[in-house]
């Protein structure tokens, strides 16, 4: 087992895998059948691989690594499919995906608060730039 940390550290790794496994699968985007732009993007050559194909490649690459590290993936449906030479995995909760995309994610309030703070804290820079532009325009008119 490569995961040589303390029991507490190993527990932290497992908790992180438990928390991030499904969002990691979601990050490739909606299932191909529900992806509004995938087909067109493939036709135009913008994408060479579909969301589902990318997701499958990720699972197939990640599971052996997890096994080496001694980490358990939180998917009871996960199993090797000999016929496909790939892993089968459980159904993704697409309702959760769409909630997060719609702004109801676990960190959305913090993210929006940080963005609003940055916008408010930068008001003086925008005001100064506008004042400078006005001053330059007045100088040109006067000349």
């Amino acid at each position: 087992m490569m995961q040589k940390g303390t029991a507490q550290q190993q527990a932290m790794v497992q908790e992180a895998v438990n928390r991030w496994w499904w969002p990691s699968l979601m990050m490739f985007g909606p299932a191909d059948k529900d992806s509004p732009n995938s087909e067109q993007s493939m036709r135009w050559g913008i994408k060479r691989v579909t969301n589902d194909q990318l997701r499958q490649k990720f699972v197939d690459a990640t599971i052996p690594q997890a096994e080496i590290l001694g980490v358990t993936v939180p998917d009871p449906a996960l199993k090797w499919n000999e016929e496909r030479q790939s892993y089968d995995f459980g159904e993704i909760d697409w309702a959760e995906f769409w909630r997060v995309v719609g702004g109801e994610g676990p960190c959305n309030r913090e993210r929006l608060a940080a963005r609003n703070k940055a916008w408010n804290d930068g008001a003086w820079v925008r005001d100064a730039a506008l004042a400078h532009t006005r001053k330059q325009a007045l100088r040109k008119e006067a000349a």
Side-chain angles (χ1 to χ4, degrees):
M1 175 155 127
M2 289 179 59
Q3 188 184 347
K4 296 181 179 178
T6 66
Q8 182 182 13
Q9 290 167 328
Q10 291 176 9
M12 289 171 59
V13 169
Q14 184 61 58
E15 287 171 22
V17 171
N18 292 348
R19 165 68 184 97
W20 289 104
W21 176 250
W22 293 107
S24 294
L25 296 184
M26 292 175 193
M27 80 175 173
F28 295 101
D32 292 343
K33 65 181 177 57
D34 299 323
S35 181
N37 304 313
S38 230
E39 187 178 320
Q40 185 174 38
S41 295
M42 295 288 287
R43 267 196 325 271
W44 289 354
I46 296 169
K47 287 175 71 170
R48 294 182 184 191
V49 183
T50 70
N51 297 351
D52 289 342
Q53 290 168 330
L54 285 171
R55 192 176 355 268
Q56 186 67 60
K57 284 183 178 191
F58 174 81
V59 172
D60 290 345
T62 302
I63 298 307
Q65 294 174 14
E67 290 170 351
I68 290 169
L69 293 171
V71 177
T72 304
V73 174
D75 182 355
L78 185 72
K79 68 178 185 235
W80 179 252
N81 183 318
E82 191 64 38
E83 183 179 316
R84 291 188 318 110
Q85 292 291 296
S86 253
Y87 285 92
D88 293 334
F89 53 93
E91 186 63 32
I92 295 171
D93 181 355
W94 291 112
E96 178 187 357
F97 171 82
W98 290 113
R99 279 193 306 274
V100 170
V101 168
E104 296 177 38
C107 298
N108 194 55
R109 280 191 195 93
E110 292 89 350
R111 182 184 61 78
L112 287 176
R115 183 160 190 216
N116 288 333
K117 182 180 182 322
W119 174 260
N120 293 335
D121 289 353
W124 72 271
V125 175
R126 292 187 302 278
D127 292 344
L130 285 172
H132 177 72
T133 301
R134 285 188 202 112
K135 184 177 177 181
Q136 295 296 77
L138 289 174
R139 282 186 180 165
K140 280 185 180 180
E141 284 179 23

